[in-house]
Amino acid sequence: MKKFFAFILSLALILTLSLPSFAANNEPSKIVSLERDPAIFSYASNALPKHLHSLLDVGEFSGSIGDYTLGQSFSIFNTEEHTDSTCFPVLYKGEFVAILEISKGASEYQSSMSVSFAKELTAFLSTNQMHHFVLITDGVHLQAYDGIRSIEIFQLYPDGSVFTPSNLEYVSSLLTLSPPETTSTYADL
């Protein structure tokens, strides 16, 4: 009888101690981003229909402007140019189909929209390879970086080079100057 209770107690301890690590391993991937001025969302909301109108007219996209919405924004850090931009997933009937990228010039916002890395980012988030990470680029390569390792998500064109993240202190300084928010879980996109 003592062996039976010892076995039950051991089993209970093993199950109890293993549950937190199991839960941590199943945590959804999250992109760590800068907090943004609400004005950027307003700008993005106004820019989206303009970009969509052009892309719908030339047949790049289908449906109507009302079929598209903006998802939760995230930041991308260019470690070569020491800049960052805010990206909004563009959703078509709930599916992540494009990226609306907003950057701030000297005094005004600028926007561009493309399908660029939408599929690749969605696929990466669904693999759950990293739980909390920032997105970094050199202008050609896009990588997820968690402070220890980086994983390439997308390459704009084959340039024969390998992106070795440098100037990461730039990203660290931005995230410590402004309290980061964790956004864009796979479910959000």
Side-chain angles (χ1 to χ4, degrees), residues 28-89:
S29 296
K30 295 179 183 176
I31 302 170
V32 177
S33 295
L34 296 173
E35 289 186 40
R36 293 294 178 192
D37 181 347
I40 202 164
F41 183 78
S42 177
Y43 178 85
S45 296
N46 290 325
L48 179 64
K50 294 172 186 171
H51 287 287
L52 285 172
H53 182 71
S54 298
L55 293 168
L56 288 166
D57 280 352
V58 297
E60 289 285 321
F61 286 178
S62 60
S64 66
I65 291 175
D67 294 332
Y68 293 85
T69 57
L70 293 175
Q72 175 67 42
S73 68
F74 55 89
S75 302
I76 294 183
F77 302 94
N78 187 315
T79 59
E80 298 298 314
E81 297 178 8
H82 292 185
T83 59
D84 63 273
S85 59
T86 301
C87 293
F88 290 87

Side-chain angles (χ1 to χ4, degrees), residues 4-143:
F4 177 73
F5 285 121
F7 173 75
I8 296 295
L9 181 61
S10 298
L11 186 60
L13 283 173
I14 289 170
L15 289 175
T16 304
L17 294 175
S18 64
L19 284 179
S21 65
F22 177 75
N25 290 336
N26 288 325
E27 179 182 343
S29 296
K30 295 179 183 176
I31 302 170
V32 177
S33 295
L34 296 173
E35 289 186 40
R36 293 294 178 192
D37 181 347
I40 202 164
F41 183 78
S42 177
Y43 178 85
S45 296
N46 290 325
L48 179 64
K50 294 172 186 171
H51 287 287
L52 285 172
H53 182 71
S54 298
L55 293 168
L56 288 166
D57 280 352
V58 297
E60 289 285 321
F61 286 178
S62 60
S64 66
I65 291 175
D67 294 332
Y68 293 85
T69 57
L70 293 175
Q72 175 67 42
S73 68
F74 55 89
S75 302
I76 294 183
F77 302 94
N78 187 315
T79 59
E80 298 298 314
E81 297 178 8
H82 292 185
T83 59
D84 63 273
S85 59
T86 301
C87 293
F88 290 87
V90 176
L91 308 173
Y92 175 65
K93 297 183 178 179
E95 184 182 335
F96 185 11
V97 295
I99 306 281
L100 177 63
E101 184 173 1
I102 312 289
S103 56
K104 189 162 187 173
S107 62
E108 61 187 37
Y109 291 120
Q110 301 166 352
S111 64
S112 64
M113 189 169 124
S114 71
V115 295
S116 57
F117 57 88
K119 289 179 185 174
E120 293 82 358
L121 182 58
T122 300
F124 178 76
L125 288 167
S126 70
T127 65
N128 226 7
Q129 292 182 51
M130 290 183 171
H131 296 297
H132 292 87
F133 58 91
V134 294
L135 292 172
I136 57 175
T137 187
D138 64 353
V140 176
H141 305 263
L142 177 70
Q143 294 188 346

